Amino acid sequence: MSDNTNHHIVPYRTYGLILLLLLVLTGTSVAVTQIELTRWATVVALLLASTKSAFVLAIFMHLKFDQNIYKIMATLIILLVAVVIVLTFLDYGFR
Amino acid sequence: MSETIAHHNEHRDDEASKLGMWLFIFTELLLFGGLFVTYAVYRHGHPQAFHLAAEQLDVVVGTINTVILLISSMTIAMSTTAIQKKDKRTTLLLIAITLVLALVFLVNKYFEWSAKIGHGIWPGSPLLEELGRGDTLFFGLYFFMTGLHAFHIIVGMVLLTVVFVRVQKEKLTFDNFQLLENGGLYWHLVDLIWIFLFPLFYLIT
Amino acid sequence: MSSNNTNHTGYKSYLEEDGGRKGIFKWILSTDHKRIGLLYLYAMMGWFIVGVVLGLLMKLELIAPGKTIMGPQAYNATFTVHGVIMIFLIVIPGLPAVFGNFMLPIQIGAKDVAFPRLNLFSWYIYVLGGILVIISLFGNGPPDTGWTFYAPYSFKTGTNMLPAALGAFVLGFSSILTGLNFIVTIHRMRAPGMTWFKMPLFPWSLYGTAWIQLLATPVIGITLLMVAGERILGIGFFDPAKGGDPLLYQHLFWIYSHPAVYIMILPAMGAISEIIPTFSKKTIFGYKAIVISTLAIAFVGYFVWGHHMYTSGMSGAALWAFSLLTFIVAIPSAIKVFNWISTMHQGSISTEIPFLWAASFIFIFMIGGLTGLVLGSLAVDVHLHDTAFVVAHFHFIVFGGVGFAFFGAMHYWFPKIFGRMFDKSWAKTGWITFSIGFVTLYGPMFYLGIMGMPRRYFDYLDEFHGPNIISTMGALVMIAGFLIILINLIKSARHGEKTTEMNPWGGTNLEWQIPTPPPLENFDEIPVIDKATYKYD
């Protein structure tokens, strides 16, 4: 286990840019929901939230620079939550 | 900790503690996952009431808190860069900013909650009973989920304070900063949850 | 590694090495994974005796129709506390906490788990959870909701529901931390050369289990918190009067509690996969198939929770999907049974005690598993739901499966753990008495359930009297068998014939290549693995 110092140094600039991007996405999300999109509002808001969290996961949480195993685990767990929601809605969607 | 483990060669494995932190984050995701399922089910059952109830939450306060959390996420992420550049002063400064932002978030939350309670809306309040089932569920979820999230903020603050002290005492340094990184990971989790709570409660109206 | 069967002399075993502490502190302050495993074992043994006594009280109540020794309220409390203790304090921690802690690091060639202090901390949380369960017995009277804490009754009942639910919550925390520890240990601490597919099957089963512990337990955690919110604040999540849906409680509860069944049974299957090749002197048949089926059970097992809710009023689409998934999850279990039997085929079998337990496990597990499919099919379940049939099926799997595997593992690893051999003839008497009692106790319940006797009632119709008498008699026989086993093991652990033989059974994995009992850090030198596991030359 000699990889205790194996770290990727992310420049400040990258973090700054990601924050800027996240703020823009937040702004979009707020702006979009002010106009009435009715049924699509939920979808758009959730898509934007998912995009934001993807950036947080990849850059802030270093998933992009980490070993693949973390990416695989994170993906599978998000998938798991998705399947659980789908199965629950097999009940609630067809009552 | 006392010297209870004298017989164990204290062997350090940063990758193991990072993996441990990630696994813990996964359990946290599933913890909130249960609540997101609940939210989805009740939103599906009471679309109209959820729509109207969400309009009673203040988008401005919600947006400000979102921005605060996003910035704090960036500062804590930057602190891992600072420590690797052996810049102790900047590291401490960035952690301190994160802690201050966390506190501001909580103060905002406090005012938001007291305003709602002032209007007679709290879990199980008589007003909610009058307003009907959809509102009861919406505000029940609102208090429960943002409350649990606030609890995580407090835990994160405690963790980051410990990190701060350890950086100060140079227990954490450029070649040994896994605890800072783990503290950061936890803080980003708190941010991640909020990224979803914000649109679900404040925006989708 | 040397393969001689003599002991190294001049080493101190983990039982002698006490870190300079005295009395009970040798145990409760030690972060040695082996001592922690035994701490769990002793705590669980105490709880198990309590659970068995409660079970016996129920069987005595049911020996005749009408009130025999207790009324309805006492009976409801008895089956609730019996369930809470047996599920949350015994079978869920069960094999992982005891044998997982003890054997996992040894079997993968490590000196300890990844986070030894966290490991001890998990035990303390376990004890705290147990204390909360004890607290729930006093005050307003023990909880009477059943171990499932179904809403809306769970927040309406006047009994002490909250401490019990809180206890389950806290115990979940202990379970999560153990799972987390094991996953990191397996990822990071395998000995050099031990690739994933050279890892023995017991660690593999612990790996699958740990993922379920990690990903399913938080769901019950949040659900119990919501019930607490319901009781304390009256939020209305599950209260139909306030718009809440009690069925959502059932969904959330079973999203955890069905995978929890696999938390119980997977490590049991892992232990069986260790015992069978050792006593057949043959390489395990289909190693990879067993590994893959372990992971498949862990994964698909997460998606079958709805089969507990067939009669609850779920939508037709959900009924159909959950029934299909339930049938799919049976396949990997069947694969394992085929592999175990194929391992025995043409092996040179020695019918030592652990093998007897393993063989009877397969028998019992097959009955339990197939009756599970009976319940998993929609139409039949409507008839059998909430009858004694369910109780019989459940006990065949959870008590038969986990219990038989636990006793098998206990006898298998006993000489390694204690450095003494148990009395084999008493062990055999115990096994046969226990097995006969077990089948006599739960067998008639299948019949009673099909005939329509509901579960969870202190009373029943006269026509059910005969089989109930047989069942109670079976309970007495089984408890006699249990006492024989227990007393034999306790006596042998203290005064049994000392053994320093490294490999009394002729096993192939690493635990049989270190001294008996193991030294504090298991290995003087971390071994290098160069061949596949379960190889007999």
Side-chain angles (χ1 to χ4, degrees), chain B residues 5 7-8 13 27 30 42, chain C residues 31 112 188 214-215 237 245:
Chain B
I5 46 158
H7 54 269
H8 283 291
D13 182 358
T27 59
L30 265 294
Y42 290 147
Chain C
T31 53
D112 207 316
R188 296 297 301 168
L214 200 74
L215 297 177
F237 287 138
D245 181 8

Side-chain angles (χ1 to χ4, degrees), chain A residues 33-45:
Chain A
T33 40
Q34 296 316 96
I35 48 173
E36 289 285 323
L37 279 172
T38 56
R39 310 213 76 218
W40 292 100
T42 320
V43 180
V44 172

Side-chain angles (χ1 to χ4, degrees), chain C residues 216-234:
Chain C
T217 318
V219 181
I220 187 112
I222 197 67
T223 311
L224 291 174
L225 278 187
M226 283 157 88
V227 171
E230 200 75 67
R231 265 186 93 90
I232 299 167
L233 300 167

Side-chain angles (χ1 to χ4, degrees), chain B residues 12-36:
Chain B
R12 188 180 127 216
D13 182 358
D14 285 353
E15 201 63 34
S17 46
K18 183 161 81 180
L19 180 58
M21 192 67 214
W22 269 105
L23 295 178
F24 186 69
I25 286 174
F26 294 150
T27 59
E28 292 276 21
L29 284 179
L30 265 294
L31 186 83
F32 277 94
L35 286 171
F36 283 121

Side-chain angles (χ1 to χ4, degrees), chain B residues 99-118:
Chain B
L99 284 168
V100 170
L101 288 171
L103 198 65
V104 175
F105 179 95
L106 285 181
V107 170
N108 275 345
K109 196 89 252 163
Y110 169 77
F111 282 116
E112 204 187 355
W113 271 36
S114 8
K116 278 279 157 294
I117 292 169

Side-chain angles (χ1 to χ4, degrees), chain B residues 157-168:
Chain B
M157 287 173 75
V158 173
L159 184 59
L160 290 181
T161 310
V162 172
V163 170
F164 184 90
V165 173
R166 296 195 65 127
V167 174
Q168 173 75 33

